[in-house]
Every structure is written in C-alpha cells, then in structure tokens.
Amino acid sequence: MIRVAGHFGELLQGRLGAAGPVVLVTLPCPALAVTARQTPSAQFSLHNLGQRLLTPARARAFLASLGLPLRNRHVLRAQMPAGGGAGASTAALVALALQAGWQGAPETLARACLEAEGASDPLMFADPSQRLWASRAAQSLARLPPLPGFEVIGGFFGPCQRTDARDSRFADIADLISDWTAAAAQGDLPRLAALASLSANRNGALRGGAQIAALASLATDLGALGHVIAHTGAARGLIFARGQIPARARAALIAAGARQVVQFPAGGGL
C-alpha cells in the first residue's frame, strides 16, 4: 500500500507582485494522507466521505500521460475531505501514480498533476515546505531553508471548496518572501508564525475576513504564536512551539465550529 501525506493549508500564499504568479509555501501534514492499493477484482474506488476524489476517466488519462499501463484496479482512501485545503486531489494523483509503478522524476509527476488538475501542490517532493511553489505552473521558483520544529492544531471550518485554477484573487505577498527566508534560516519560529498570520489576514480580507479574525482571536486566547489557513479551502490551524498546545485547545476549536480536529508536528526535519 502507498501512503502520500497531504498538507494543512499554506504558511504563505499570494501573488508574487501585483501581476505575478500565484505562489505558496505549503504546510505538510503527516497526520492526513491518501492511501492507494491495487486489487485485481474491484473496480476503481476513488471516493472519500461521499466525495469523489477522481473520476475513473481522469485517473486513466493521468496514468496514460505518465506512460503507465492500467494493469490493475486501484482503491484510494483519503483521511481529509476533498476541497478542504489539505491536498486530497494532488495526494490522490501522486498515490495513484506510485501505486501504478511510477519511478520517474518528481518534476515530471508535478507536470502531470498540473495537466490533470490545473493547479498542484508540491506533495510529490520529499521537502515540500522548502519550496516557493508556483502552483499554477507546477514549478519550484526558489529553495527555502528548512523550518524549525513546531506543532499545529486545527480543523475544517465551513464549506469545503475545491481549488479553481483560474482564481488569481490573492494578495501580493512579494514583501513577505525575503522575510520568510531570513526567519527560516535563523530558526525564528515566532517570526515565521507572524508571517503566516499576515498572509492569512491579507488573503482573508479578500475571502472572508470575519472568519480569519475569529481564528486570530482564538490564537490569542490560547497563546498560539500565529495561525495558518488553507487560502482556498476550509482548513484553519494554530501554530505553537512544540509541547506548548494547551489541553483545552481541542475543545476550544470544536466550540468555534471546527470539524475533524487534527494535531501534528511540523518542521524540524519532518
């Protein structure tokens, strides 16, 4: 069985300049994944929580684009909701390709995912959080320093929303990139959390600022260093130093409307 970890929103996402490409720094989430297995007798099973991850036709076309023959039927299972901003679509494609025998370059796999989806997360790479990723071009624009260790607790709020590859309504975050690179190189977690919060707030002003303001208020109440969101999905989380998540955080998130609360480590070589 193949397991491909998803992500939990984006630490940064926005335009690289007012008219530049949409870029992001993803937040890998080892607690949420898509698994794939083969079975010679079953049909394609590509659903999760009543939502379709892939259509059989799309799965066949994707495998064909990689030169992979369809010898067996594939069963995919996701731990995250489709459209939740946790990478279900990209993780499903990567898991399907690996289960079908893909052994090529991750860059080639990224281009195939882009062709299938119109936008892609960098989940086919071993170091997704160390890439300034142009999601609409499936390209790594810069390598970033590794992140210091931290923890995130969060959940899914409100309706899920699949990414629209034509959507470029994002705030300009070009000024945050150099600060992010410097803070990551210094291992400055409070600064990184503040930058993630600023990215969330800027884009939240375009996409539902009241919900982001409530998340920021919850972060302050619980003593979090900052907050992180799926900029086009339902995932919302709080950033803490490791070992500092208060015992009441889960209940507070549920009271605020979170579904499927998840807690996971990030950075620190993970």
Side-chain angles (χ1 to χ4, degrees):
M1 185 172 69
I2 297 294
R3 184 181 192 275
V4 175
H7 64 95
F8 198 79
E10 297 82 30
L11 292 160
L12 300 178
Q13 186 166 4
R15 303 293 293 269
L16 193 58
V22 176
V23 298
L24 60 84
V25 178
T26 197
L27 173 57
C29 180
L32 297 175
V34 174
T35 59
R37 63 183 177 85
Q38 290 182 347
T39 173
S41 58
Q43 297 293 313
F44 272 104
S45 179
L46 305 168
H47 290 77
N48 176 61
L49 303 175
Q51 296 174 301
R52 187 187 292 275
L53 294 172
L54 293 168
T55 65
R58 192 176 184 188
R60 291 187 183 94
F62 171 69
L63 292 177
S65 75
L66 292 168
L68 295 172
L70 183 62
R71 295 195 179 97
N72 294 288
R73 300 299 184 180
H74 300 268
V75 177
L76 300 183
R77 292 287 183 267
Q79 295 173 298
M80 70 287 268
S89 296
T90 299
L93 290 170
V94 174
L96 178 62
L98 295 177
Q99 185 63 72
W102 175 253
Q103 296 181 346
E107 290 82 2
T108 303
L109 184 51
R111 289 192 294 271
C113 290
L114 177 68
E115 182 179 339
E117 295 188 276
S120 176
D121 297 304
L123 302 180
M124 63 291 298
F125 293 92
D127 55 353
S129 67
Q130 291 178 239
R131 296 172 180 272
L132 181 63
W133 184 251
S135 56
R136 272 63 168 169
Q139 291 182 346
S140 181
L141 301 184
R143 294 301 300 274
L144 303 173
L147 297 173
F150 59 100
E151 283 187 274
V152 174
I153 186 169
F156 298 93
F157 290 79
C160 290
Q161 175 189 359
R162 290 182 181 269
T163 298
D164 181 353
R166 300 165 297 179
D167 181 6
S168 59
R169 187 168 50 96
F170 292 90
D172 184 354
I173 61 163
D175 60 314
L176 304 185
I177 302 303
S178 59
D179 283 354
W180 182 269
T181 302
Q186 295 164 7
D188 187 345
L189 179 59
R191 181 59 181 157
L192 292 169
L195 290 168
S197 301
L198 184 54
S199 177
N201 294 346
R202 284 186 187 179
N203 286 282
L206 301 174
R207 298 172 178 272
Q211 188 181 76
I212 306 304
L215 182 68
S217 178
L218 186 60
T220 299
D221 177 57
L222 292 172
L225 295 174
H227 53 277
V228 59
I229 67 170
H231 287 64
T232 59
R236 305 281 185 266
L238 305 176
I239 301 170
F240 291 86
R242 286 195 176 167
Q244 297 303 307
I245 297 178
R248 65 188 181 94
R250 179 177 294 271
L253 283 162
I254 293 171
R259 308 182 304 279
Q260 195 178 338
V261 173
V262 61
Q263 179 175 332
F264 60 94
L270 292 174

